[in-house]
Amino acid sequence: MRVSTPALPLRRFLQTIGFLLALVVFSPTQAKAQTWLVSTDAYVKIGVMDKFGQLGGYTAKFVVINQETGKEYVLVKQVPKGQNGIDVIFPSEATEAEYFKTERGEAGRAQPGRYTWECQVGGKKVVGGRFGFSEVANDVTLVGKN
């Protein structure tokens, strides 16, 4: 015959209290604010294409001129036969093997302002245009408990 002792219910009661205490101790504290960083890159994609592929391979010289400073940035690309055209990005990263740069090697930057561009093939302007970079402002969002 089994005799029940008060030790078993007391043990379960203490385990339950210990579990609840652990939940309180290890529960997350009040929510803290989260800060997000933001980055913005402005760039322009420009290109040239020999529509009917009459030239075969050719050399395309892209020239971008900052209208405020007068600085000229140049990028020369070889277009292989069978590839009628090419697109380039201004400003290109100075870490790339070929990038837009001045005669002194200064890399092009997306400074606010107006720009003109042209592409020369065989020393002659074949296409061109203009674009502008505006001031860019980044907002930092603080997400917190309302």
Side-chain angles (χ1 to χ4, degrees), residues 37-51:
L37 298 176
V38 63
S39 65
T40 305
D41 284 332
Y43 64 89
V44 174
K45 185 177 184 180
I46 55 181
V48 65
M49 181 176 185
D50 176 16
K51 187 173 181 178

Side-chain angles (χ1 to χ4, degrees), residues 11 19 21 23 28 30-31 35 42 50 56 63 66 87 93 99 118 120-121 129 133 137 140 144-145:
R11 185 174 178 201
F19 178 70
L21 183 62
L23 284 178
Q30 190 176 23
T35 303
D50 176 16
V63 180
N66 182 324
D87 291 326
E93 295 292 327
Y99 62 96
E118 67 180 45
Q120 301 170 3
V121 175
F133 289 128
V140 175
K145 189 175 180 182

